[in-house]
Amino acid sequence: MHHHLCKNCEHTFEGNFCSNCGQKTNTIRLNWHFVKEELQYTFLHINKGFLYSVKELLTRPGETVREYLEGKRVKHYKPILLVFVLAGLNGLLSQKIDYKAFMPKNDVKNIVATEMPKIMNWIFSHYALVELALLPIFSLCSWLAFKKYGYNYVENIIINCFASAQRLLIGLITIPLMYLIDPKYLLTFSSLISIPVYGVTIWLYLQLYKKHEIGNVILRLLLFGFLATMVFFAALIIATIVVLFYMVKTGQLEIN
């Protein structure tokens, strides 16, 4: 068999791919044929990876996650990248929503009423970062709650990547409806939507741990929810203190 010299790492190898770095033997000059191949690979990868993962998460989420953790991964989109893509789509679709409708309207000088829409807009425009920032924290909570079931902390991060992707998928379905609803009912609608959004996460965990006693799984889910809620409110309090401190420092808020 003919030996090749890798143009990337200068390793000598046989075959179509470098055994050291994985680069192709045939590195053609960049031209329209190269662009065509790249586009074909990209769309094929999305169809066989992204859409497959979406379908599995909407039909058999817990079993899909368990199979992924056990090594059945070749058909799936990368879970962290999946969160990034879905969070980006959510942020893009929700940019034009009037978040002022969520806020009190009886006092235009109310700090919450004037500043919260800006914060909400920032969160949704950076939603991928927010989701990824919360993943390690929520994963710590799920690891502590389900520690006896055997999955380590990193595996819990992957579990929560899929759970987050699942919630984001529900968001993609419901966001268009928010443009059709009267702004004064947005808060009520969002509250109602949170039920199926977090309901699918419960469904995922119940399927994932279906080999364990269901009563025990529900108790651990309640513990997970409690820990996650405590962490969320702690983060909210810290963020509020930081924002207030910043506003005092910059003169936007005066404390008598």
Side-chain angles (χ1 to χ4, degrees):
M1 186 176 285
H2 182 67
H3 287 77
H4 304 277
L5 179 67
C6 178
K7 294 179 181 179
N8 183 55
C9 66
E10 299 186 349
H11 175 70
T12 302
F13 65 98
E14 297 177 350
N16 296 322
F17 297 91
C18 175
S19 57
N20 185 50
C21 69
Q23 177 159 294
K24 283 184 178 180
T25 302
N26 183 22
T27 52
I28 62 172
R29 184 176 179 180
L30 301 183
N31 52 27
W32 288 111
H33 179 70
F34 171 83
V35 173
K36 178 183 175 183
E37 283 193 344
E38 287 294 301
L39 288 173
Q40 286 178 338
Y41 171 79
T42 300
F43 287 111
L44 185 65
H45 182 61
I46 289 175
N47 285 330
K48 289 192 175 180
F50 182 81
L51 295 181
Y52 176 80
S53 292
V54 166
K55 177 183 75 71
E56 292 293 285
L57 283 175
L58 291 176
T59 56
R60 47 191 296 274
E63 293 178 5
T64 297
V65 173
R66 184 173 58 254
E67 290 173 358
Y68 187 91
L69 295 173
E70 292 172 354
K72 196 173 181 179
R73 301 168 188 167
V74 69
K75 292 183 179 180
H76 280 285
Y77 211 63
K78 302 294 183 184
I80 295 177
L81 183 57
L82 183 64
V83 174
F84 239 117
V85 172
L86 292 173
L89 289 173
N90 270 263
L92 183 66
L93 288 178
S94 61
Q95 280 186 347
K96 300 298 182 181
I97 294 175
D98 182 17
Y99 295 109
K100 292 180 181 178
F102 288 86
M103 302 299 120
K105 296 181 179 179
N106 57 336
D107 184 4
V108 294
K109 295 182 179 179
N110 187 306
I111 296 172
V112 175
T114 55
E115 297 300 322
M116 189 58 72
K118 299 176 185 177
I119 296 172
M120 293 279 286
N121 282 326
W122 186 93
I123 289 174
F124 277 96
S125 61
H126 299 79
Y127 201 60
L129 293 177
V130 173
E131 276 287 336
L132 290 172
L134 289 174
L135 274 172
I137 302 172
F138 287 150
S139 298
L140 178 61
C141 296
S142 66
W143 175 68
L144 290 172
F146 293 94
K147 191 174 181 180
K148 288 188 177 180
Y149 288 177
Y151 292 125
N152 62 34
Y153 175 64
V154 174
E155 288 170 327
N156 272 271
I157 290 178
I158 298 304
I159 292 170
N160 284 287
C161 276
F162 281 117
S164 176
Q166 197 185 31
R167 292 192 297 271
L168 290 166
L169 282 170
I170 302 298
L172 283 174
I173 296 169
T174 57
I175 285 173
L177 298 176
M178 298 180 77
Y179 288 99
L180 303 175
I181 292 173
D182 191 316
K184 65 183 179 182
Y185 298 120
L186 276 177
L187 184 58
T188 302
F189 178 75
S190 298
S191 301
L192 291 173
I193 287 300
S194 66
I195 297 172
V197 165
Y198 288 96
V200 293
T201 298
I202 294 171
W203 177 32
L204 184 151
Y205 272 89
L206 288 174
Q207 269 197 1
L208 175 62
Y209 295 117
K210 71 176 184 179
K211 295 180 181 179
H212 299 271
E213 186 182 343
I214 189 168
N216 198 302
V217 175
I218 291 173
L219 286 175
R220 292 180 184 278
L221 269 172
L222 290 172
L223 176 60
F224 174 30
F226 172 77
L227 292 173
T229 301
M230 291 300 100
V231 168
F232 174 78
F233 279 112
L236 189 62
I237 290 169
I238 293 171
T240 302
I241 292 172
V242 170
V243 170
L244 289 175
F245 179 77
Y246 172 78
M247 293 177 69
V248 171
K249 271 290 202 182
T250 56
Q252 299 178 54
L253 177 65
E254 294 183 2
I255 301 177
N256 296 325

